Amino acid sequence: MPPFRTWLALPLAATLLGLLPADSAAHSAPPADAALPLLVPRGGDPAAALLAREGTTTRYAQAGEGITRADHFRAGSVTKSFIATVVLQLAAAHRLSLSDTVEQHLPGLVRGAGNDGRALTLRSLLTHTSGLYDFTADTGGITPVTPRQAVRIALTHPPAERGRFSYSNTNYVLLGLVIQQVTGRSYATEAERRIITPLRLTGTSFPGSRSSLPRPHGHAYADDGTDVTALDPRVAGAAGELVTTLTDLDRFYAALLGGRLLTPHWLSEMLDTRAAHGAYGMGLFPERLPCGTTVWGHNGRISGSYVRSAATVDGRRVLTFRVNTDAIADPGLEPAVLAAEFCSRTT
């Protein structure tokens, strides 16, 4: 999903901190922790939690009941960071090139309504500059589809202007198909062998069509309060299927930005936002905070879950927070929470 506007962070940070309860617990808690209750929508049972990491030191906080540090949850578009990492590892191994066209790997698949895979590169998929329509705008993110069905839905619409940043889940569904074509194995298998197993992300998985969450887990709620804990992950596929934990996401982003998954050259490629005019790299996007620090990561929204991970460019400091519903109470609070964490020494 598209990154939030960073210019909101400074005034909202001041507002956020001014709204914190005037009790000793709030004053003693780090600002990001004390802000957690503000992220939770009122009414019903939603709750929020965060896990901050600096080096080997971690800090956990929660707001509301029915949520724990060990919970498994759906991470939505955070999946894109994993998919992009696999693609870049394949590029590093000369199994593909970012300048390859979609047509070279998936001949004849991307044709229709002005869309043409012969004119689209893998780089344009990674950076959301292909112009391909987002299939979830038609499915609502609640209708399970196969990858090729998702692509066919997108191809019933004309493309946006090619070369401009236009966030589309269709791009990463196609990258999942490219991974399978190049390796002979699914994107899930490749992510497991290249990322999940080496980093020992024991709470992370690609569930395929499995609608239940691994234990332990809490409940997940739609905007209207409906319990949507059981969900068919094929609503998102390679664009948002991942199930994970707070600990695993912090570990993943620390390893990725710390250079454990990609060489310096390919990590630099991942962080290069020029193609998307500063809005997006490859599976990561930057957020410049009021103090001058830029953090990198991704957010994810899927029915019943909203997640945000951000890390310093060296991967030493990482923050992941989640809400067990579709969205935080006020999206404008997100940059303020990041500023509260990364613009002050809290650990």
Side-chain angles (χ1 to χ4, degrees):
M1 60 192 60
F4 289 105
R5 294 179 182 272
T6 57
W7 58 265
L8 292 170
L10 185 58
L12 278 170
T15 301
L16 183 153
L17 294 175
L19 288 172
L20 296 180
D23 57 42
S24 59
H27 284 299
S28 63
D33 300 16
L36 271 180
L38 300 177
L39 301 178
V40 181
R42 294 183 178 181
D45 299 308
L50 69 76
L51 185 66
R53 169 176 173 154
E54 183 167 6
T56 59
T57 302
T58 61
R59 188 185 80 252
Y60 173 75
Q62 71 179 70
E65 302 298 325
I67 198 166
T68 73
R69 176 172 178 161
D71 280 349
H72 296 81
F73 54 85
R74 305 187 194 283
S77 287
V78 169
T79 308
K80 293 179 175 67
S81 297
F82 286 72
I83 297 300
T85 300
V86 171
V87 172
L88 291 171
Q89 287 184 352
L90 291 172
H94 306 291
R95 304 284 299 276
L96 55 78
S97 169
L98 302 189
S99 61
D100 290 348
T101 65
V102 176
E103 179 74 10
Q104 286 175 253
H105 295 284
L106 304 169
L109 180 61
V110 180
R111 300 281 180 85
N115 299 282
D116 189 343
R118 294 170 295 186
L120 302 179
T121 64
L122 301 188
R123 183 183 297 275
S124 75
L125 301 182
L126 286 161
T127 59
H128 293 293
T129 55
S130 69
L132 290 169
Y133 181 81
D134 185 351
F135 76 94
T136 64
D138 283 9
T139 65
I142 57 174
T143 303
V145 291
T146 67
R148 290 178 182 269
Q149 285 172 335
V151 173
R152 286 197 292 270
I153 290 169
L155 296 179
T156 62
H157 298 269
E161 181 180 346
R162 191 177 305 137
R164 294 190 63 180
F165 175 73
S166 180
Y167 191 92
S168 173
N169 288 293
T170 307
N171 292 317
Y172 277 72
V173 168
L174 281 166
L175 288 169
L177 290 171
V178 169
I179 291 169
Q180 182 164 10
Q181 188 276 331
V182 168
T183 67
R185 293 179 287 267
S186 70
Y187 63 83
T189 298
E190 286 298 303
E192 287 163 4
R193 64 189 292 266
R194 293 171 176 273
I195 301 172
I196 295 172
T197 299
L199 295 183
R200 288 180 281 188
L201 306 181
T202 57
T204 299
S205 63
F206 287 81
S209 61
R210 189 178 69 245
S211 62
S212 60
L213 286 170
R215 295 184 182 277
H217 66 80
H219 290 271
Y221 302 95
D223 287 342
D224 62 3
T226 304
D227 190 313
V228 290
T229 307
L231 179 76
D232 190 327
R234 291 175 299 175
V235 301
E241 176 188 337
L242 197 72
V243 167
T244 188
T245 65
L246 292 170
T247 296
D248 279 6
L249 285 187
D250 277 5
R251 183 178 298 162
F252 166 69
Y253 283 105
L256 175 60
L257 289 159
R260 291 179 57 192
L261 295 173
L262 296 170
T263 65
H265 169 77
W266 290 105
L267 183 56
S268 177
E269 286 278 345
M270 191 178 212
L271 301 179
D272 188 343
T273 64
R274 288 177 294 178
H277 308 288
Y280 201 88
M282 299 179 186
L284 295 173
F285 63 80
E287 181 113 22
R288 184 172 175 81
L289 303 177
C291 57
T293 296
T294 295
V295 292
W296 292 84
H298 215 290
N299 53 1
R301 179 181 289 112
I302 193 168
S303 186
S305 181
Y306 182 79
V307 185
R308 176 68 159 107
S309 286
T312 52
V313 71
D314 59 2
R316 180 160 177 79
R317 297 186 71 189
V318 191
L319 172 71
T320 296
F321 70 79
R322 59 173 288 241
V323 180
N324 61 355
T325 187
D326 293 14
I328 58 180
D330 177 358
L333 292 174
E334 181 170 311
V337 172
L338 297 182
E341 179 67 26
F342 291 99
C343 292
S344 62
R345 300 304 299 179
T346 61
T347 59

